[in-house]
Amino acid sequence: MMNNIFKVGLILGSVYLGGCATLSPEECQTARWDQIGEQDGALGKESQLAQHYKACSKINIVPNQSLYESGYKQGLKSYCQPAAIYDRALVGKGSYTVCPTEQHAKLRPFYNTAHQFYEAGKSRESFYKELDRYQDYLLDRNLKKETRDIYMKKVRELKRDQDKIERDYEYEDRQRRRFERENGL
């Protein structure tokens, strides 16, 4: 198990360092299609083979489909684990739908719980950015009275919504913590 975690870590690290979604001509020439497939699968991506075909066709290189698909299936095996699905969804990434259909029912709660927490956090962050923006506008001493009144009204409206935003976030956070305890995460 630890060997697989280490292997996935190396794969993820190489993808993040590489940074590109498509392959460069040099990468096409030296491609290890099984490794590329495994990287794509380990990240929970849909198959990227069509994009790799497109990128490599510019230099007349055809990806090895069978090696890619074999690697992709291996990558999905490491990705299609409850903890991996959960971790990716906590940061707004991935989906359980790339996994084999027979695993969906098992993985769905891990994805949904984490994704709902992520969305609540995103809404909360967006709310506070908007509130801060309007409060910053009010610091301008050169504002016309009409404009200041509009901004003040907007701040009051936002402050009325603040409790709901916080309650929603706290609810999802409690759900997340309970789910983690119940599932050993």
Side-chain angles (χ1 to χ4, degrees):
M1 171 108 175
M2 186 57 97
N3 189 26
N4 284 344
I5 292 170
F6 179 72
K7 188 176 178 183
V8 171
L10 285 176
I11 290 169
L12 292 175
S14 68
V15 169
Y16 288 127
L17 289 174
C20 294
T22 60
L23 302 174
S24 70
E26 295 79 23
E27 290 169 319
C28 290
Q29 290 171 336
T30 61
R32 300 247 347 248
W33 293 107
D34 55 336
Q35 288 180 352
I36 293 170
E38 189 169 354
Q39 288 173 357
D40 291 346
L43 288 172
K45 294 179 178 181
E46 294 284 339
S47 173
Q48 302 293 298
L49 190 57
Q51 291 86 335
H52 299 324
Y53 267 113
K54 184 176 179 182
C56 295
S57 70
K58 295 173 185 171
I59 58 167
N60 297 321
I61 291 180
V62 176
N64 185 318
Q65 183 174 352
S66 64
L67 283 177
Y68 177 87
E69 288 175 354
S70 174
Y72 183 73
K73 286 178 185 173
Q74 277 303 115
L76 281 182
K77 283 181 185 176
S78 62
Y79 174 75
C80 294
Q81 301 299 316
I85 296 289
Y86 187 80
D87 289 344
R88 294 285 289 162
L90 277 176
V91 295
K93 306 275 186 203
S95 174
Y96 66 92
T97 60
V98 298
C99 299
T101 306
E102 61 272 8
Q103 292 182 305
H104 287 191
K106 175 184 168 190
L107 298 173
R108 186 179 299 113
F110 289 86
Y111 176 81
N112 286 345
T113 300
H115 183 71
Q116 288 166 348
F117 175 71
Y118 169 78
E119 288 296 326
K122 199 166 88 171
S123 293
R124 182 177 182 237
E125 182 181 340
S126 176
F127 169 83
Y128 281 108
K129 281 182 181 177
E130 185 176 13
L131 179 60
D132 287 347
R133 187 174 69 242
Y134 280 101
Q135 288 176 330
D136 286 348
Y137 291 161
L138 290 170
L139 296 176
D140 184 354
R141 294 177 186 250
N142 298 322
L143 277 180
K144 294 181 181 176
K145 182 182 178 342
E146 310 83 53
T147 306
R148 183 173 301 282
D149 290 344
I150 291 169
Y151 292 162
M152 287 295 292
K153 181 180 177 190
K154 184 65 176 175
V155 167
R156 282 192 299 275
E157 289 171 1
L158 287 168
K159 293 246 182 188
R160 278 193 298 262
D161 295 340
Q162 188 171 5
D163 284 342
K164 182 186 180 328
I165 293 288
E166 285 299 325
R167 276 192 313 273
D168 290 349
Y169 178 78
E170 289 168 10
Y171 173 79
E172 294 300 340
D173 188 40
R174 282 191 308 276
Q175 294 297 99
R176 176 191 60 83
R177 285 183 281 133
R178 179 181 308 130
F179 188 84
E180 287 177 357
R181 276 192 313 273
E182 291 171 354
N183 291 281
L185 297 171

